[in-house]
Amino acid sequence: MVMPEPKRDILNVKRLLAAALLYFALARIAGAAIAEPPGYASPLWPAAGVAMALCVRWRGFAPALGIMLGSALNNGYIAWSAGHAVGRAFSIGSLIGLGAAAQSVAGGGLLRRYWTLTGPGFARAAGLMALACIANAAWGPLVLLCAGLGGENLAWTMFTWWVGDFIGCCVVVMPSLVLLDGGAHGEA
């Protein structure tokens, strides 16, 4: 059934705001609590798992833009807290947010195409998530390097970022899909 345009627009705005709020809240509460200072990379990043699950479940621009916004706010806040000017801080945050959104969309697409909760097991899902998590693990630290932040341990930052996103996805994607709707892949 196709929804009328106004209802679809309202649904997309709700999804965008839900994705932004969930990402930001998980990043601030769970991720930042165990992140290595200054807080960009963490050995566990549950926000990446929720973001990927939302992109599995909700197709379209809304979850991706929400994830970008939530990540931009979180990473901009981290840069601003470290003493950077607001414009510079949120420029850095927005660029990192692009990587978070790209990773989530890529992972969501891979999982939607090659895996279901009732299909091949966790190993396949983990492999697909591991592949998708390379996106922001490479992009985010390179943004920081180009901004003059954290280039001294680039390989370690990339590795920590990847591990945190991957573990966050492994721990959070499946339960999130079950909570969203029993794991059905499609439009709500």
Side-chain angles (χ1 to χ4, degrees):
M1 177 172 117
V2 177
M3 279 188 240
E5 285 297 318
K7 285 187 179 182
R8 191 173 332 141
D9 291 344
I10 291 169
L11 179 63
N12 282 333
V13 169
K14 286 180 181 179
R15 288 177 175 181
L16 185 151
L17 293 174
L21 181 62
L22 283 169
Y23 193 98
F24 181 76
L26 281 172
R28 295 303 322 139
I29 295 166
I34 58 172
E36 296 178 10
Y40 295 106
S42 171
L44 172 63
W45 199 256
V50 166
M52 197 173 290
L54 291 175
C55 285
V56 169
R57 182 63 184 107
W58 298 338
R59 298 175 191 202
F61 70 91
L65 288 177
I67 291 158
M68 183 184 148
L69 178 60
S71 177
L73 290 172
N74 176 64
N75 289 297
Y77 177 78
I78 292 169
W80 177 75
S81 296
H84 298 283
V86 172
R88 176 178 163 84
F90 286 97
S91 295
I92 292 166
S94 295
L95 287 170
I96 294 171
L98 283 173
Q103 172 177 295
S104 301
V105 168
L110 287 169
L111 288 171
R112 222 178 11 259
R113 178 155 173 88
Y114 298 110
W115 177 83
T116 64
L117 282 174
T118 58
F122 179 76
R124 176 180 279 182
L128 296 169
M129 291 184 289
L131 182 63
C133 286
I134 293 170
N136 208 28
W139 176 254
L142 288 176
V143 168
L144 295 175
L145 177 67
C146 291
L149 306 171
E152 55 279 347
N153 291 318
L154 182 64
W156 181 251
T157 300
M158 287 179 161
F159 177 73
T160 304
W161 202 304
W162 178 82
V163 166
D165 282 2
F166 175 62
I167 293 173
C169 287
C170 287
V171 169
V172 176
V173 167
M174 281 71 163
S176 295
L177 289 173
V178 170
L179 287 174
L180 282 168
D181 66 354
H185 301 342
E187 289 298 319

